Amino acid sequence: MSALQSILEYNQQFVDEKQYETYATTKYPDKKIVILSCMDTRLVELLPKAMNLRNGDVKVVKSAGAIVNHPFGGIMRSLLVAVYELKADEIYIIGHYDCGMSAVDPDVMVGHMLERGIKQETLDILNFSGVDLYDWLRGFGDVKTSVLKSVDLVRRHPLMPATVPVHGLVIDPQTGKLDLVTDGNIDK
């Protein structure tokens, strides 16, 4: 059985047994918080538990490395929607130690792309079109520096109200311990 078929089979049972009822909430975050975190599998359940969060408490946006890499990209748009349309009053950008993005080597990743069927011609077209693919794919060296860079981009965004605190934290994916990098209520 494929992973998809297994998921759909389980889902039918989940719906039939009305297991969804325990997760009922509104689209507005009860704690008026939006979190940007990494997509790392270790954080799926650990991060909410480590922050004492339940279903309905917060909005969660995920990206590789918890990075906001473009001021007008999808991640920034999601944060703005959470603030303006979904009543979030605070933003938490939470990276984590031992992040895969800290070791991403664009040369290796491009090699993997070629191995999986992406044509060199496609890469050449991107390059000639002004896309710096290698810079776009590059990871980061230090997670705290990366979190600060994303926090700064969000804080300085021309559409982000100055009244919205933007916090930066790093979580240990083994223990759940949160280290404060910057407090948006103090550091502006």
Side-chain angles (χ1 to χ4, degrees):
M1 177 183 303
S2 72
L4 174 61
Q5 289 305 314
S6 177
I7 288 169
L8 291 174
E9 185 177 297
Y10 175 84
N11 178 258
Q12 188 61 54
Q13 179 182 346
F14 179 86
V15 172
D16 290 347
E17 295 174 2
K18 298 185 180 189
Q19 294 178 43
Y20 55 84
E21 290 176 348
T22 61
Y23 302 101
T25 187
T26 71
K27 66 181 177 179
Y28 301 104
D30 293 336
K31 293 192 176 184
K32 299 185 184 246
I33 293 170
V34 59
I35 295 173
L36 170 61
S37 75
C38 184
M39 62 186 194
D40 190 290
T41 56
R42 297 171 290 180
L43 303 181
V44 171
E45 291 188 47
L46 178 66
L47 181 62
K49 292 287 186 193
M51 295 180 72
N52 192 30
L53 300 173
R54 297 171 9 115
N55 195 53
D57 281 347
V58 300
K59 289 295 181 187
V60 178
V61 178
K62 293 189 176 260
S63 73
I67 296 171
V68 182
N69 61 359
H70 193 284
F72 293 96
I75 299 300
M76 191 65 220
R77 179 180 56 227
S78 294
L79 296 176
L80 290 167
V81 167
V83 168
Y84 285 108
E85 299 300 319
L86 301 173
K87 303 179 183 179
D89 291 335
E90 291 186 66
I91 298 173
Y92 291 66
I93 298 178
I94 306 176
H96 67 94
Y97 298 109
D98 188 34
C99 183
M101 279 302 290
S102 67
V104 170
D105 180 334
D107 292 314
V108 172
M109 192 167 176
V110 167
H112 292 154
M113 290 176 184
L114 293 168
E115 289 169 6
R116 295 195 59 180
I118 302 300
K119 304 280 186 226
Q120 181 63 49
E121 173 184 312
T122 302
L123 301 177
D124 293 341
I125 290 169
L126 290 172
N127 183 47
F128 295 134
S129 298
V131 175
D132 186 341
L133 186 62
Y134 290 84
D135 185 54
W136 184 63
L137 294 173
R138 190 171 321 285
F140 55 81
D142 176 68
V143 67
K144 289 182 180 180
T145 302
S146 178
V147 166
L148 281 172
K149 184 177 176 184
S150 290
V151 165
D152 188 57
L153 192 151
V154 174
R155 282 182 182 161
R156 294 175 181 264
H157 196 280
L159 300 176
M160 184 58 66
T163 57
V164 174
V166 183
H167 311 290
L169 299 100
V170 178
I171 188 170
D172 182 324
Q174 302 303 316
T175 66
K177 182 179 185 311
L178 289 165
D179 292 330
L180 181 64
V181 177
T182 180
D183 180 337
N185 293 309
I186 299 169
D187 307 319
K188 300 281 181 183

